[in-house]
Amino acid sequence: MAYLAYLVLLVLLTAIERTWPGWLLIYDQGPQLVAAAIISAGLCAGPVAGCFAGLIGALLLGSAESAWLGGTFFAYMALGTVVGLLRGTLLAERAPMAALVTLAAVPIVEIIRLIFAAPPNPAPWVLQLLIAAPYSALLAMPVFAGFHWLTRLLAPEP
Amino acid sequence: MRATHAPAVRWEPILAMMLLALIFTWGQHRARAVGETSLPERGARAVVWPLQSLLVRGGASTRTVATAAYRGRSLVAENQELERRVRELEADRLRMVSYYLENSAMRKKLGWAPLEPPPAVAARVIDWSSGQGRKRVTIEANRELERGNIVRTQAGLVGRVIEAQGTRGTVMLLTDTESAVAARVLRENGDFGMVSAAPEASEHMTMLKMIPHSNRADLRMGDVLISSGDGGVYPQGIPIGFIERVETSAVNVSLITAYVHPFADFEHLDYVLVERRGE
């Protein structure tokens, strides 16, 4: 049941990320809500849920933007699984922890995706990354709150 | 430093999901090799795209209401200005109709086939995808889209539909680094060439570039470029842009590049027109 709820949240966050209003973009860059959702799922429910969120998030985001799925799957599923291993550690159930992990994870995910599809010009990519990481980290807190509430309500894993 | 004892990790479902991801990736590569879209991608889009469409519509309505509430007084002046503009456009339209009738009469006298306006349909842009040289948008029309449909604005060519799913489709813009269109200069004996994205010149504004087929091409500032129809991807005669500057390579003087300012405003694509190829 919790996985179904995660799926619905991921669909909603993918649609919001892809239609982020122009006036909220910073240098044409919006937040990576799907990455924040995967991290939240991992922190709240463990590596299996994190990997599941990575699988679904990558499929939804990759399909919506007509991207190659291989690199996106690898980056997001690895992110969800690794972050899931942090579940149960000190502060893992605190929203600022989700923000900190997102701040670190967004550049790592983008670097992994970079290996699969290199940009023609690295300068805008670096600028976008510098904006996307803190922007996503800031919005990771409400995203985490949503996932945390759902997990407590439906408790997918012991 | 653990607050509670973490349960042992179950790796079997993780490995199963990784296997599923591999199958999806393999399916995508197989489908793209034959110009199709894989089933998982179609399923994901069938879920996400309608929601995106809803959010775009909702966002536009909210913006309208917020703007009206914030700038109530200035909207009256803006409305008057728009009414004046509508009257001007109506006068332009009547002038165009008279030209069209005159053209039709001349074609009839010459024995040429009558000129039918292309039945383009309007489509709303519901998704923007950029980065790493990719410049694509997702559009939603009120009729079924097909792969290869030509997308333009009233001003000029925008791109073509590369993936279609019902009334929604992905458009590869002319500014995408994978895009190219056969073009010609709109002049008597105008030169032919290929127009593609110019990311190296697009730091402040969107630019395209034309590489002429001939190394003795006569390209001039202000020349208007239209699609030539060569290659059969785009029909001929669609305006693309005008030449802003012409550069000759310092190494090889026969290498000419014309930088083109596109007529279509790629920064503000909210609505576009979709034509079937050949229409």
Side-chain angles (χ1 to χ4, degrees):
Chain A
M1 192 64 186
Y3 284 87
L4 191 65
Y6 289 169
L7 181 85
V8 172
L9 262 185
L10 279 163
V11 169
L12 188 66
L13 288 169
T14 306
I16 294 173
E17 180 177 324
R18 299 300 308 153
T19 52
W20 195 250
W23 56 276
L24 284 175
L25 295 175
I26 304 171
Y27 284 99
D28 281 340
Q29 186 61 45
Q32 295 192 5
L33 297 177
V34 174
I38 293 163
I39 289 165
S40 301
L43 285 175
C44 292
V48 177
C51 186
F52 170 77
L55 175 76
I56 301 298
L59 178 64
L60 293 171
L61 200 62
S63 302
E65 59 185 22
S66 302
W68 288 108
L69 291 175
T72 316
F73 272 137
F74 183 77
Y76 283 170
M77 289 175 76
L79 173 69
T81 309
V82 172
V83 171
L85 295 172
L86 293 174
R87 186 196 176 208
T89 57
L90 192 68
L91 303 177
E93 294 203 358
R94 296 283 181 274
M97 181 66 160
L100 272 177
V101 174
T102 306
L103 189 68
V106 166
I108 294 169
V109 164
E110 285 305 311
I111 288 166
I112 293 172
R113 293 183 78 181
L114 181 78
I115 297 166
F116 288 87
N121 191 354
W125 179 83
V126 173
L127 178 69
Q128 284 178 349
L129 198 59
L130 288 174
I131 295 162
Y135 202 179
S136 310
L138 191 69
L139 287 165
M141 288 195 272
V143 171
F144 176 83
F147 272 86
H148 192 245
W149 177 75
L150 264 180
T151 310
R152 283 173 70 107
L153 197 71
L154 304 164
E157 285 186 24
Chain B
M1 192 157 54
R2 286 184 176 264
T4 55
H5 180 70
V9 178
R10 286 159 42 224
W11 289 102
E12 298 86 356
I14 293 173
L15 288 172
M17 282 188 271
M18 285 179 176
L19 186 66
L20 195 63
L22 271 175
I23 293 168
F24 285 170
T25 308
W26 174 75
Q28 187 195 37
H29 280 257
R30 261 183 73 96
R32 286 209 178 174
V34 291
E36 297 289 330
T37 309
S38 68
L39 194 64
E41 281 183 287
R42 294 179 80 86
R45 285 176 190 170
V47 176
V48 176
W49 278 358
L51 199 58
Q52 281 184 235
S53 171
L54 201 69
L55 286 170
V56 168
R57 282 164 204 265
S61 305
T62 311
R63 195 168 56 219
T64 307
V65 171
T67 309
Y70 182 67
R71 327 186 282 132
R73 205 173 293 172
S74 64
L75 279 179
V76 176
E78 194 175 304
N79 190 40
Q80 286 170 344
E81 171 61 23
L82 286 172
E83 280 177 356
R84 187 188 63 76
R85 184 89 185 107
V86 167
R87 283 195 294 273
E88 280 179 9
L89 288 170
E90 185 60 21
D92 282 349
R93 193 183 71 82
L94 289 171
R95 206 160 32 243
M96 292 296 169
V97 168
S98 71
Y99 290 155
Y100 176 75
L101 293 173
E102 192 180 310
N103 185 293
S104 299
M106 284 170 74
R107 292 181 78 90
K108 200 175 172 185
K109 277 184 186 170
L110 289 166
W112 292 3
L115 198 63
E116 293 292 334
V121 291
R124 181 195 284 266
V125 176
I126 60 166
D127 186 83
W128 297 259
S129 174
S130 66
Q132 303 186 2
R134 291 161 53 86
K135 298 282 178 191
R136 290 166 196 201
V137 294
T138 304
I139 57 169
E140 182 185 44
N142 54 10
R143 75 155 193 219
E144 291 270 316
L145 296 176
E146 291 163 6
R147 198 158 169 255
N149 281 165
I150 305 305
V151 180
R152 55 176 295 181
T153 62
Q154 291 290 2
L157 189 60
V158 168
R160 67 191 162 93
V161 175
I162 53 165
E163 285 176 52
Q165 193 169 324
T167 58
R168 301 182 185 95
T170 306
V171 179
M172 182 158 73
L173 304 180
L174 288 186
T175 50
D176 190 296
T177 48
E178 288 179 28
S179 182
V181 51
R184 61 165 296 195
V185 174
L186 188 60
R187 230 183 320 123
E188 201 176 349
N189 299 323
D191 283 287
F192 288 75
M194 292 302 288
V195 171
S196 57
E200 70 277 11
S202 300
E203 198 170 326
H204 301 296
M205 64 171 81
T206 306
M207 290 290 276
L208 304 170
K209 65 183 172 194
M210 182 195 195
I211 311 285
H213 292 328
S214 164
N215 54 13
R216 282 179 290 174
D218 175 24
L219 302 177
R220 303 173 200 164
M221 265 174 63
D223 273 348
V224 170
L225 301 181
I226 57 169
S227 57
S228 67
D230 292 349
V233 179
Y234 293 96
Q236 64 176 342
I238 303 178
I240 297 171
F242 65 88
I243 294 178
E244 198 173 81
R245 63 176 197 275
V246 181
E247 287 183 5
T248 308
S249 169
V251 184
N252 183 352
V253 287
S254 65
L255 278 180
I256 304 166
T257 304
Y259 287 94
V260 179
H261 190 286
F263 288 133
D265 183 358
F266 287 94
E267 306 298 324
H268 303 95
L269 285 176
D270 292 326
Y271 286 92
V272 290
L273 293 168
V274 184
E275 291 172 13
R276 288 206 172 91
R277 187 164 44 182
E279 280 179 345

